[in-house]
Amino acid sequence: MDTSQLLKGVLDLAVLAVLRQEDGYGYDVLRRLRAGGLDEVGDASVYGTLRRLYNAGLLTSYVVPSEEGPHRKYYSLNEPGRERLAESGRTWRSFAHTLDDLLGVVA
Amino acid sequence: MSSTHTRAEVQEYLDRMRAALADLPDVEISEIMDDAGGHVVEVADELGDDFSAAALTARLGTPEVYAHELRVAAGYPPSNRSVVAQTPPKPVFAARFAFWALVAGTAAAFGMGIGGSSGFPLALLVGVFVVWSIVLLHRKPELIGQVGELPETAALKQAIDQAEEGPASKAIAYLKSLQPAWWLARAVLVAVSGLIIDGFGVFFLVALALAGLALLSGPRAKTDRRWLWVSLPAGALAAGVLLYVLGAVIPNATYRDNYPTSYAPTFPSLPSNVYVFDKDGKALTDVYLYDDEGKPLESPFYGCEHDGSRYREDNRYPRPRVDYDDRGECREIGGVPFAVSIPTVVQSPSASTAPSAPSGSVDPSSSVTPPASVSSAPPTVPTSK
């Protein structure tokens, strides 16, 4: 099964999750997702997702000048973001549980 | 990881990306370009020595694919075609306008440089268009990406690419290496153009300012294509001025041949007047002289004033004598001021061999005032001259 299809539905959750521990800029978030095992995630998708979560008021951003090059925009989870993460996390778990059950019957 | 990324390929990638997002609100575009644009630069840096436009595309997809993926993930409408409210056809028109203004501006600048001052009003109009394009490009940064996507731009790019890969590739690469020197020379030539127009006047100051801009535009245009709108016309102007200056230094080759010989009229070497007598010594008036080719033997003549001019030019002889009476009125006196006796014995062939000097000739200028006839010619000498 093509995991990129699955990814579309849960990328929000994944991005929120990697930002829970520590603030990060776009490329940073992308690296953490890949390091976490989601190596099929597209660069542009991550930036788009960050943009959407920010526009939805779930993230705040601040700019950190970099001595090496262009300044970086860091994103951090705010209170609504944390709430969304908790809520989406619950939804995912119950969904995964349901699917596990179904698979258990099939297998 | 060096981030001094000024490679033209990266800039072009960003331009195209920006173009693919052009229908979004300005704030969104600038945020995305800040964010994802920085990402593109960083990825390009990571590629290091392996960097090329192809490698960048292999890693990130084409700018359009990148932008599309980003739009989908961000929840924007997928493409600008589905957006009705946002200025759809205008940017293309503006891009096309900017492109052709650049082309026309470059041509007009070349014409100006080469000394075609007769087209000055047209060049001024084109100059206004170019400045207008620069303002447009400055206010709408995404416009440059759209210019890059015009079919005419694509055709031009393809032609340039083919030239660079063709048989002249080495020569082109060598010329490219001379670019910084050309930028400097170009600035000097632009300043010189002001000098040519009016010495150290207003135009010179304007040209000096333009020269500064031209100098800046060379390296800037490498990373920011908008500078091409300064760089290309400046280059064309400089090339024109160079040709003009060369033409002034070597004038013979270009200008001398342009004067046809008829501009410098040549007259047959005739004495100031000619008197003709028949074999009986009778003076002939109103005689028309022709040369061996049948061309009239015209010579200039200053008579009394007719129709505002004393000068006329014909082949009718003898010329009348010009005299001024007591009141200063001009008179033209016809007739012959002297008489001759023609020898009856010898015919002209044997006469022409006669060795003796023609002492009988009369200076007509001295004979102008006394209208009385003077019989002077010795009978043995024909007064043929």
Side-chain angles (χ1 to χ4, degrees):
Chain A
M1 180 169 182
D2 186 2
T3 47
S4 67
Q5 289 297 319
L6 285 175
L7 209 49
K8 272 181 190 163
V10 293
L11 194 53
D12 285 22
L13 183 57
V15 168
L16 288 173
V18 298
L19 281 174
R20 183 183 48 189
Q21 307 293 343
E22 205 186 335
D23 300 350
Y25 61 96
Y27 207 4
D28 212 13
V29 171
L30 181 64
R31 285 202 195 97
R32 284 187 219 168
L33 289 171
R34 290 202 173 129
L38 297 176
D39 26 270
E40 279 182 52
V41 67
D43 301 54
S45 298
V46 171
Y47 282 95
T49 303
L50 282 168
R51 213 51 234 149
R52 185 159 44 79
L53 294 174
Y54 174 82
N55 283 336
L58 303 175
L59 301 176
T60 52
S61 78
Y62 54 95
V63 168
V64 175
S66 153
E67 64 272 19
E68 290 177 331
H71 56 71
R72 285 167 174 158
K73 200 186 307 154
Y74 277 73
Y75 290 96
S76 74
L77 225 52
N78 58 16
E79 208 38 57
R82 264 175 245 285
E83 281 168 19
R84 173 66 65 86
L85 174 61
E87 186 193 318
S88 299
R90 279 195 296 276
T91 309
W92 170 256
R93 286 209 175 90
S94 99
F95 180 78
H97 190 70
T98 308
L99 214 64
D100 275 349
D101 282 353
L102 283 171
L103 288 170
V105 171
V106 172
Chain B
M1 185 161 63
S2 95
S3 300
T4 48
H5 239 295
T6 51
R7 273 182 277 221
E9 289 92 338
V10 174
Q11 188 58 46
E12 196 187 331
Y13 193 98
L14 295 177
D15 287 344
R16 282 170 60 184
M17 201 168 129
R18 190 186 282 273
L21 299 166
D23 58 298
L24 298 175
D26 287 348
V27 187
E28 278 304 305
I29 296 174
S30 80
E31 292 278 336
I32 291 168
M33 290 311 291
D34 249 20
D35 220 8
H39 170 58
V40 172
V41 171
E42 212 161 327
V43 167
D45 280 332
E46 276 179 7
L47 287 167
D49 292 338
D50 298 330
F51 175 83
S52 70
L56 190 64
T57 307
R59 172 79 169 69
L60 295 175
T62 66
E64 290 75 23
V65 167
Y66 189 105
H68 176 75
E69 187 183 328
L70 194 146
R71 296 173 79 110
V72 171
Y76 299 134
S79 94
N80 43 3
R81 282 199 188 85
S82 62
V83 181
V84 191
Q86 305 276 352
T87 59
K90 214 178 163 191
V92 176
F93 174 75
R96 187 152 279 161
F97 171 79
F99 177 85
W100 287 107
L102 176 60
V103 171
T106 305
F110 183 73
M112 285 285 289
I114 214 162
S117 49
S118 57
F120 188 71
L122 182 68
L124 204 63
L125 184 71
V126 172
V128 168
F129 284 159
V130 172
V131 171
W132 190 357
S133 308
I134 292 172
V135 171
L136 273 179
L137 287 163
H138 202 77
R139 283 175 46 188
K140 280 191 168 283
E142 71 274 13
L143 200 59
I144 188 69
Q146 292 164 356
V147 173
E149 287 185 341
L150 288 174
E152 44 264 53
T153 315
L156 194 66
K157 262 188 198 156
Q158 201 187 356
I160 292 173
D161 285 350
Q162 274 177 358
E164 282 181 352
E165 284 162 15
S169 59
K170 275 191 180 165
I172 290 173
Y174 175 67
L175 285 178
K176 271 193 167 178
S177 74
L178 295 180
Q179 254 183 348
W182 166 241
W183 292 334
L184 200 63
R186 180 171 74 183
V188 171
L189 284 166
V190 169
V192 164
S193 76
L195 268 181
I196 292 173
I197 292 177
D198 71 341
F200 288 94
V202 184
F203 274 105
F204 179 63
L205 289 179
V206 172
L208 217 54
L210 285 176
L213 267 179
L215 195 61
L216 264 179
S217 69
R220 291 278 171 92
K222 290 252 157 197
T223 51
D224 186 345
R225 292 299 164 99
R226 287 178 287 177
W227 279 93
L228 282 179
W229 272 254
V230 177
S231 179
L232 283 184
L237 177 67
V241 169
L242 190 64
L243 286 177
Y244 175 81
V245 170
L246 285 180
V249 171
I250 321 162
N252 297 353
T254 32
Y255 293 113
R256 285 290 157 84
D257 289 348
N258 290 345
Y259 289 111
T261 44
S262 66
Y263 279 17
T266 51
F267 290 108
S269 52
L270 286 171
S272 49
N273 213 341
V274 175
Y275 293 96
V276 187
F277 297 87
D278 68 7
K279 65 177 170 49
D280 301 322
K282 190 183 155 222
L284 301 177
T285 55
D286 297 330
V287 175
Y288 292 82
L289 299 187
Y290 291 86
D291 69 2
D292 57 342
E293 289 173 354
K295 280 198 295 192
L297 282 172
E298 289 176 345
S299 66
F301 169 65
Y302 292 90
C304 287
E305 193 168 308
H306 278 295
D307 302 328
S309 169
R310 291 186 56 208
Y311 180 82
R312 45 186 199 263
E313 196 184 300
D314 56 30
N315 64 332
R316 195 174 80 178
Y317 298 88
R319 304 303 201 187
R321 287 157 291 138
V322 177
D323 188 28
Y324 293 90
D325 65 13
D326 300 340
R327 290 169 297 170
E329 292 277 318
C330 179
R331 287 184 301 157
E332 288 185 7
I333 303 161
V336 179
F338 55 88
V340 293
S341 58
I342 305 295
T344 47
V345 195
V346 223
Q347 282 298 316
S348 48
S350 56
S352 63
T353 56
S356 52
S359 55
S361 61
V362 174
D363 183 3
S365 61
S366 68
S367 67
V368 165
T369 18
S373 60
V374 182
S375 178
S376 58
T380 47
V381 177
T383 56
S384 61
K385 174 139 184 152

